[in-house]
mmCIF file with all atom_site columns, all heavy atoms in Angstrom:
data_model
loop_
_atom_site.group_PDB
_atom_site.id
_atom_site.type_symbol
_atom_site.label_atom_id
_atom_site.label_alt_id
_atom_site.label_comp_id
_atom_site.label_asym_id
_atom_site.label_entity_id
_atom_site.label_seq_id
_atom_site.pdbx_PDB_ins_code
_atom_site.Cartn_x
_atom_site.Cartn_y
_atom_site.Cartn_z
_atom_site.occupancy
_atom_site.B_iso_or_equiv
_atom_site.pdbx_formal_charge
_atom_site.auth_seq_id
_atom_site.auth_comp_id
_atom_site.auth_asym_id
_atom_site.auth_atom_id
_atom_site.pdbx_PDB_model_num
ATOM 1   N N   . GLY A 1 126 ? 112.149 76.098 107.024 1.00 97.00 ? 126 GLY A N   1
ATOM 2   C CA  . GLY A 1 126 ? 112.894 75.131 107.514 1.00 97.00 ? 126 GLY A CA  1
ATOM 3   C C   . GLY A 1 126 ? 113.981 74.676 106.673 1.00 97.00 ? 126 GLY A C   1
ATOM 4   O O   . GLY A 1 126 ? 114.907 74.070 107.083 1.00 97.00 ? 126 GLY A O   1
ATOM 5   N N   . ALA A 1 127 ? 113.757 74.947 105.338 1.00 97.00 ? 127 ALA A N   1
ATOM 6   C CA  . ALA A 1 127 ? 114.836 74.487 104.392 1.00 97.00 ? 127 ALA A CA  1
ATOM 7   C C   . ALA A 1 127 ? 116.139 75.409 104.479 1.00 97.00 ? 127 ALA A C   1
ATOM 8   O O   . ALA A 1 127 ? 116.032 76.580 104.799 1.00 97.00 ? 127 ALA A O   1
ATOM 9   C CB  . ALA A 1 127 ? 114.466 74.716 103.007 1.00 97.00 ? 127 ALA A CB  1
ATOM 10  N N   . VAL A 1 128 ? 117.285 74.630 104.529 1.00 97.00 ? 128 VAL A N   1
ATOM 11  C CA  . VAL A 1 128 ? 118.533 75.393 104.604 1.00 97.00 ? 128 VAL A CA  1
ATOM 12  C C   . VAL A 1 128 ? 118.967 75.621 103.174 1.00 97.00 ? 128 VAL A C   1
ATOM 13  O O   . VAL A 1 128 ? 119.281 74.632 102.390 1.00 97.00 ? 128 VAL A O   1
ATOM 14  C CB  . VAL A 1 128 ? 119.589 74.484 105.416 1.00 97.00 ? 128 VAL A CB  1
ATOM 15  C CG1 . VAL A 1 128 ? 120.856 75.350 105.412 1.00 97.00 ? 128 VAL A CG1 1
ATOM 16  C CG2 . VAL A 1 128 ? 119.146 74.390 106.815 1.00 97.00 ? 128 VAL A CG2 1
ATOM 17  N N   . ILE A 1 129 ? 119.241 76.899 102.701 1.00 97.00 ? 129 ILE A N   1
ATOM 18  C CA  . ILE A 1 129 ? 119.602 77.147 101.405 1.00 97.00 ? 129 ILE A CA  1
ATOM 19  C C   . ILE A 1 129 ? 121.095 77.631 101.327 1.00 97.00 ? 129 ILE A C   1
ATOM 20  O O   . ILE A 1 129 ? 121.606 78.419 102.238 1.00 97.00 ? 129 ILE A O   1
ATOM 21  C CB  . ILE A 1 129 ? 118.766 78.457 100.988 1.00 97.00 ? 129 ILE A CB  1
ATOM 22  C CG1 . ILE A 1 129 ? 117.266 78.076 101.000 1.00 97.00 ? 129 ILE A CG1 1
ATOM 23  C CG2 . ILE A 1 129 ? 119.119 78.853 99.480  1.00 97.00 ? 129 ILE A CG2 1
ATOM 24  C CD1 . ILE A 1 129 ? 116.911 76.884 100.071 1.00 97.00 ? 129 ILE A CD1 1
ATOM 25  N N   . THR A 1 130 ? 121.816 77.004 100.450 1.00 97.00 ? 130 THR A N   1
ATOM 26  C CA  . THR A 1 130 ? 123.223 77.414 100.206 1.00 97.00 ? 130 THR A CA  1
ATOM 27  C C   . THR A 1 130 ? 123.354 78.269 99.014  1.00 97.00 ? 130 THR A C   1
ATOM 28  O O   . THR A 1 130 ? 123.075 77.922 97.912  1.00 97.00 ? 130 THR A O   1
ATOM 29  C CB  . THR A 1 130 ? 124.182 76.189 100.068 1.00 97.00 ? 130 THR A CB  1
ATOM 30  O OG1 . THR A 1 130 ? 123.973 75.270 101.203 1.00 97.00 ? 130 THR A OG1 1
ATOM 31  C CG2 . THR A 1 130 ? 125.565 76.468 99.841  1.00 97.00 ? 130 THR A CG2 1
ATOM 32  N N   . PHE A 1 131 ? 123.937 79.428 99.173  1.00 97.00 ? 131 PHE A N   1
ATOM 33  C CA  . PHE A 1 131 ? 124.334 80.410 98.123  1.00 97.00 ? 131 PHE A CA  1
ATOM 34  C C   . PHE A 1 131 ? 125.697 80.271 97.853  1.00 97.00 ? 131 PHE A C   1
ATOM 35  O O   . PHE A 1 131 ? 126.501 80.567 98.762  1.00 97.00 ? 131 PHE A O   1
ATOM 36  C CB  . PHE A 1 131 ? 123.841 81.864 98.479  1.00 97.00 ? 131 PHE A CB  1
ATOM 37  C CG  . PHE A 1 131 ? 122.423 82.113 98.715  1.00 97.00 ? 131 PHE A CG  1
ATOM 38  C CD1 . PHE A 1 131 ? 121.983 82.164 100.064 1.00 97.00 ? 131 PHE A CD1 1
ATOM 39  C CD2 . PHE A 1 131 ? 121.533 82.189 97.696  1.00 97.00 ? 131 PHE A CD2 1
ATOM 40  C CE1 . PHE A 1 131 ? 120.559 82.443 100.256 1.00 97.00 ? 131 PHE A CE1 1
ATOM 41  C CE2 . PHE A 1 131 ? 120.147 82.457 97.864  1.00 97.00 ? 131 PHE A CE2 1
ATOM 42  C CZ  . PHE A 1 131 ? 119.686 82.529 99.232  1.00 97.00 ? 131 PHE A CZ  1
ATOM 43  N N   . SER A 1 132 ? 126.131 79.877 96.774  1.00 97.00 ? 132 SER A N   1
ATOM 44  C CA  . SER A 1 132 ? 127.438 79.694 96.261  1.00 97.00 ? 132 SER A CA  1
ATOM 45  C C   . SER A 1 132 ? 127.753 80.609 95.078  1.00 97.00 ? 132 SER A C   1
ATOM 46  O O   . SER A 1 132 ? 127.053 80.776 94.241  1.00 97.00 ? 132 SER A O   1
ATOM 47  C CB  . SER A 1 132 ? 127.746 78.234 95.945  1.00 97.00 ? 132 SER A CB  1
ATOM 48  O OG  . SER A 1 132 ? 127.448 77.320 96.952  1.00 97.00 ? 132 SER A OG  1
ATOM 49  N N   . ALA A 1 133 ? 128.991 81.206 95.212  1.00 97.00 ? 133 ALA A N   1
ATOM 50  C CA  . ALA A 1 133 ? 129.473 82.177 94.092  1.00 97.00 ? 133 ALA A CA  1
ATOM 51  C C   . ALA A 1 133 ? 130.996 81.972 94.118  1.00 97.00 ? 133 ALA A C   1
ATOM 52  O O   . ALA A 1 133 ? 131.744 81.903 94.966  1.00 97.00 ? 133 ALA A O   1
ATOM 53  C CB  . ALA A 1 133 ? 129.099 83.536 94.476  1.00 97.00 ? 133 ALA A CB  1
ATOM 54  N N   . ARG A 1 134 ? 131.389 81.969 92.701  1.00 97.00 ? 134 ARG A N   1
ATOM 55  C CA  . ARG A 1 134 ? 132.857 82.104 92.521  1.00 97.00 ? 134 ARG A CA  1
ATOM 56  C C   . ARG A 1 134 ? 133.118 83.477 92.088  1.00 97.00 ? 134 ARG A C   1
ATOM 57  O O   . ARG A 1 134 ? 132.613 84.066 91.254  1.00 97.00 ? 134 ARG A O   1
ATOM 58  C CB  . ARG A 1 134 ? 133.291 81.086 91.390  1.00 97.00 ? 134 ARG A CB  1
ATOM 59  C CG  . ARG A 1 134 ? 134.671 81.223 90.952  1.00 97.00 ? 134 ARG A CG  1
ATOM 60  C CD  . ARG A 1 134 ? 135.101 80.195 90.031  1.00 97.00 ? 134 ARG A CD  1
ATOM 61  N NE  . ARG A 1 134 ? 135.158 78.865 90.747  1.00 97.00 ? 134 ARG A NE  1
ATOM 62  C CZ  . ARG A 1 134 ? 135.549 77.688 90.274  1.00 97.00 ? 134 ARG A CZ  1
ATOM 63  N NH1 . ARG A 1 134 ? 135.834 77.688 89.069  1.00 97.00 ? 134 ARG A NH1 1
ATOM 64  N NH2 . ARG A 1 134 ? 135.547 76.635 91.023  1.00 97.00 ? 134 ARG A NH2 1
ATOM 65  N N   . ALA A 1 135 ? 133.948 84.148 92.951  1.00 97.00 ? 135 ALA A N   1
ATOM 66  C CA  . ALA A 1 135 ? 134.349 85.521 92.651  1.00 97.00 ? 135 ALA A CA  1
ATOM 67  C C   . ALA A 1 135 ? 135.785 85.485 92.008  1.00 97.00 ? 135 ALA A C   1
ATOM 68  O O   . ALA A 1 135 ? 136.648 84.797 92.505  1.00 97.00 ? 135 ALA A O   1
ATOM 69  C CB  . ALA A 1 135 ? 134.433 86.318 93.937  1.00 97.00 ? 135 ALA A CB  1
ATOM 70  N N   . ARG A 1 136 ? 135.957 86.310 91.008  1.00 97.00 ? 136 ARG A N   1
ATOM 71  C CA  . ARG A 1 136 ? 137.192 86.464 90.278  1.00 97.00 ? 136 ARG A CA  1
ATOM 72  C C   . ARG A 1 136 ? 137.463 87.939 90.226  1.00 97.00 ? 136 ARG A C   1
ATOM 73  O O   . ARG A 1 136 ? 136.508 88.773 89.998  1.00 97.00 ? 136 ARG A O   1
ATOM 74  C CB  . ARG A 1 136 ? 137.182 85.826 88.868  1.00 97.00 ? 136 ARG A CB  1
ATOM 75  C CG  . ARG A 1 136 ? 137.048 84.249 88.996  1.00 97.00 ? 136 ARG A CG  1
ATOM 76  C CD  . ARG A 1 136 ? 136.344 83.729 87.649  1.00 97.00 ? 136 ARG A CD  1
ATOM 77  N NE  . ARG A 1 136 ? 137.061 84.106 86.516  1.00 97.00 ? 136 ARG A NE  1
ATOM 78  C CZ  . ARG A 1 136 ? 137.738 83.405 85.709  1.00 97.00 ? 136 ARG A CZ  1
ATOM 79  N NH1 . ARG A 1 136 ? 138.055 82.144 86.040  1.00 97.00 ? 136 ARG A NH1 1
ATOM 80  N NH2 . ARG A 1 136 ? 138.322 83.870 84.578  1.00 97.00 ? 136 ARG A NH2 1
ATOM 81  N N   . TRP A 1 137 ? 138.802 88.153 90.330  1.00 97.00 ? 137 TRP A N   1
ATOM 82  C CA  . TRP A 1 137 ? 139.130 89.726 90.379  1.00 97.00 ? 137 TRP A CA  1
ATOM 83  C C   . TRP A 1 137 ? 140.516 89.876 89.983  1.00 97.00 ? 137 TRP A C   1
ATOM 84  O O   . TRP A 1 137 ? 141.364 88.895 90.004  1.00 97.00 ? 137 TRP A O   1
ATOM 85  C CB  . TRP A 1 137 ? 138.921 90.374 91.798  1.00 97.00 ? 137 TRP A CB  1
ATOM 86  C CG  . TRP A 1 137 ? 139.749 89.768 92.794  1.00 97.00 ? 137 TRP A CG  1
ATOM 87  C CD1 . TRP A 1 137 ? 141.046 90.145 93.218  1.00 97.00 ? 137 TRP A CD1 1
ATOM 88  C CD2 . TRP A 1 137 ? 139.470 88.731 93.724  1.00 97.00 ? 137 TRP A CD2 1
ATOM 89  N NE1 . TRP A 1 137 ? 141.428 89.396 94.284  1.00 97.00 ? 137 TRP A NE1 1
ATOM 90  C CE2 . TRP A 1 137 ? 140.435 88.479 94.488  1.00 97.00 ? 137 TRP A CE2 1
ATOM 91  C CE3 . TRP A 1 137 ? 138.227 87.903 93.870  1.00 97.00 ? 137 TRP A CE3 1
ATOM 92  C CZ2 . TRP A 1 137 ? 140.611 87.490 95.611  1.00 97.00 ? 137 TRP A CZ2 1
ATOM 93  C CZ3 . TRP A 1 137 ? 138.241 86.864 94.851  1.00 97.00 ? 137 TRP A CZ3 1
ATOM 94  C CH2 . TRP A 1 137 ? 139.361 86.673 95.656  1.00 97.00 ? 137 TRP A CH2 1
ATOM 95  N N   . LEU A 1 138 ? 140.831 91.067 89.627  1.00 97.00 ? 138 LEU A N   1
ATOM 96  C CA  . LEU A 1 138 ? 142.260 91.514 89.425  1.00 97.00 ? 138 LEU A CA  1
ATOM 97  C C   . LEU A 1 138 ? 142.518 92.729 90.368  1.00 97.00 ? 138 LEU A C   1
ATOM 98  O O   . LEU A 1 138 ? 141.782 93.678 90.267  1.00 97.00 ? 138 LEU A O   1
ATOM 99  C CB  . LEU A 1 138 ? 142.385 91.945 87.856  1.00 97.00 ? 138 LEU A CB  1
ATOM 100 C CG  . LEU A 1 138 ? 143.755 92.035 87.375  1.00 97.00 ? 138 LEU A CG  1
ATOM 101 C CD1 . LEU A 1 138 ? 144.395 90.543 87.238  1.00 97.00 ? 138 LEU A CD1 1
ATOM 102 C CD2 . LEU A 1 138 ? 143.794 92.601 85.851  1.00 97.00 ? 138 LEU A CD2 1
#
Side-chain angles (χ1 to χ4, degrees):
V128 178
I129 303 300
T130 300
F131 297 103
S132 300
R134 173 166 292 179
R136 292 156 56 103
W137 63 85
L138 198 65

